[in-house]
Amino acid sequence: MRNMLSRCLSLNDFEKYAQRHLPHPLFAYVSGGVEDNIALRNTLASYARYSLIPENMVDVSQRNVHVELFGHRYAAPVGIAPMGISALTGFDGDITLARCAKEKNVPFIMSGSSLTRLEDVAQVNPNMWFQAYLPKTLEEIDALIDRVKRADIPVLVITVDTPVKANRENNVRAGFATPFRPSLRLAWEGITHPRWLTGTLLKTVLKTGMPYFENNSAQRGAPLFSKNAVRDFSGRSHLTWQHIEHIRARWPGAMVIKGILSRTDALRCKAIGIDGIVVSNHGGRQLDTVIPPLYVLPEIVEAVGDMTVMFDSGIRRGTDAIKAIALGAQACFVGRPFNYACAVGGAAGVNLAIDLIISEISRDLGMLGAAALADLGEKHLRVTG
C-alpha cells in the first residue's frame, strides 16, 4: 500500500487503484452517473471552460487558505462530501473519513445512506455535519431530525435533488443493487477481489455483524445483504418547501440545503431562513444532461447576497476549487476521490488526498498572485471554452 500511495500525486490517481481493488458493482456505483453519463462528463469538463489569469509580482509568501463556516474556522476551503455506503468501499469508511477530517480540520458531511450509526461517527468527529434524505411522513421526518439533534450535530444538511429514484442504468448493468442479493456472481466478485473481501467485508462482519442502513430514518433500515428486504426509495415526490420550513422551525442549529441549481430555489432558501446552500448537481448522479453547477454559481451568489454559498460536483484539482471560489463559493466539497482514497489506503490514503488538494490550492493561489481566498475574484477568470 505504501508504494501505491507514493504514486498518487493527485486526487485523480486514486481512481485507477480503486478500480482494481473494488468489486466491479461497487466501483460502478461510486464512479457512475445516470443514464448516458452526460451530466457527469459535462460537469468534469466544465472547469476547463474557465482559464485562469494570474497577477504577478505580488507578495504571496504568507498565503492563507483558512475559511470560517458556521462559527468554525477550518484549515482549508475544501471538505469531504457525503457518500453513501462508504463503510463498504473502505473498512470503517465513515469513521475513517470523519477522523481524518477532524485531524486535518476540514469540513466533513456524513451521508444519510451510511452503514454506521451517526451517533458513533459524531463521537469521533463532534464537528461533523449530517446530510439527510427526508423520509416519507412528517412524523418520520420529525423523528429523524430529533435524533440528529440529540447527537449534538452542529450542521444539518438536507438534500433536495432526489424527489424520485434516479435511472442509474450503470448500476443495473454492473449488478449493483441494495440490499445485495446473494448470488454466484456476487460471490465471484468477492473471491476475485481478495484484499477487499478480507480487509473490508469480512473484517466489517467480524467487527459489527451484518451492516445495515443506519441513518435513512430514526430507526435502523434494511440490511446490506438480504434475499427479501427492499430499500424504499419512494415517498419523496410529495415533499415541498413547506416541509423545509417545518424543519427550519424545529432545527435549532445551522441548516444547509444541498442540491441547489436555480436562482429561484436559492432565494426560497434565503426567505425560509436557511443558513447555507450547496450548489450541486449530485455529481451528475440524478438527472442526466443537467447543467454543471459551475455555470449557475455566479447568478446564485449574486441573488442571495451574504448567504453562505458552498459548492460541489466534479472537483478534482486545486484549480477547480479556486475557480468555484473565484465565482463566489465560500467552500467546496469533494466526493468520489476521497472514497477511492479510503478504499485503497484507509486513513493514510484519506490524509494524503486531503494534503494533496490543500497543497494544490495553496500553490495555485501563489501562482495567481493571491495571498488569501478573499483576494480571488472574477478578474482571475476568463471563459475560453
Side-chain angles (χ1 to χ4, degrees), residues 36-87:
D36 297 317
N37 292 316
I38 294 171
L40 173 59
R41 292 195 301 271
N42 287 351
T43 298
L44 292 170
S46 64
Y47 300 93
R49 289 198 63 216
Y50 290 86
S51 295
L52 293 168
I53 304 172
E55 295 181 342
N56 298 314
M57 300 306 293
V58 178
D59 183 357
V60 291
S61 59
Q62 302 297 320
R63 296 184 299 285
N64 179 7
V65 298
H66 292 82
V67 65
E68 184 165 321
L69 298 170
F70 311 118
H72 185 94
R73 192 166 189 256
Y74 291 100
V78 63
I80 300 176
M83 293 172 286
I85 64 170
S86 294

Side-chain angles (χ1 to χ4, degrees), residues 276-297:
I277 58 176
V278 182
V279 179
S280 164
N281 68 7
H282 215 111
R285 294 169 68 85
Q286 294 303 111
L287 173 65
D288 209 8
T289 76
V290 73
I291 193 166
L294 201 64
Y295 298 160
V296 295
L297 177 60

